[in-house]
Amino acid sequence: MADTELYQQLDDALAAVDSDTTAAEAHGVLCGMLSGPEEPDRARWIAQVLEYAHARGDAARACLELLTELFTDTTEEMADEELRFRPLLPSEEAPIGERSAALGRWCEGYLLGLPMGGLAGSERRPREIDEVLRDFGEIARIEDDPDPDEDNEAAYAELVEYVRMGALLVQEHATASQRQPAGNPPRGNGSDGG
């Protein structure tokens, strides 16, 4: 299923169960969790997304199926060495204001998902990771009603690409630090010279 099709189906399914979480925000939370060092917990993510929903009957079943599909697809995409990962956002045909608002909600969700994935506090992160996360915080407050002109379209496209690469950078850092044992880095040949 195409990302834009999945986005619309999931957004509709979340609305059908009265969730106050959008498809973009749900995907952001998931990507934040996947960017941390801990193994992602699908049930915990779904519980977070549906926390205030009224999930019952066929609408709930359809929503759970889409969330499960999104979890599987996103886990694979973020682990893909060819960098296929993309934030789940409305189609390019949607008004720029709607797409900008969705990007803001995605970043908001991402920042919420990071601690759920076990990402450590800023004292243990490289400066460039903190800069990315600060930028995501700024994007989360993006103006949701920009004028539909070429400059705004270009700026939006640049922001989406920045968010995509930023999320992959944070994930790369988290998985690298997970492999690196705590304490001092290894030394040359291990002898103490004396």
Side-chain angles (χ1 to χ4, degrees), residues 77-192:
E77 285 175 6
M78 286 194 79
D80 182 50
E81 292 181 5
E82 294 178 15
L83 309 178
R84 289 181 305 138
F85 163 74
R86 298 241 176 286
L88 188 66
L89 298 167
S91 79
E92 293 301 312
E93 285 76 50
I96 185 73
E98 182 183 328
R99 287 180 281 142
S100 297
L103 182 60
R105 293 292 298 267
W106 191 96
C107 288
E108 192 178 320
Y110 184 86
L111 295 172
L112 177 66
L114 281 175
M116 294 172 66
L119 194 68
S122 61
E123 70 279 354
R124 296 179 52 197
R125 291 194 299 248
R127 190 177 74 241
E128 65 262 29
I129 300 298
D130 282 335
E131 287 173 6
V132 166
L133 299 182
R134 263 195 308 276
D135 291 343
F136 279 21
E138 290 298 314
I139 296 168
R141 292 190 289 277
I142 200 167
E143 177 187 344
D144 65 357
D145 197 22
D147 295 325
D149 63 27
E150 285 185 25
D151 289 344
N152 284 331
E153 288 289 345
Y156 171 80
E158 284 179 24
L159 278 178
V160 170
E161 183 60 13
Y162 177 79
V163 165
R164 182 178 91 80
M165 295 308 294
L168 291 171
L169 178 69
V170 173
Q171 183 196 37
E172 182 183 341
H173 160 72
T175 54
S177 64
Q178 183 182 26
R179 288 187 222 110
Q180 179 75 29
N184 295 329
R187 298 183 182 197
N189 61 11
S191 68
D192 56 3

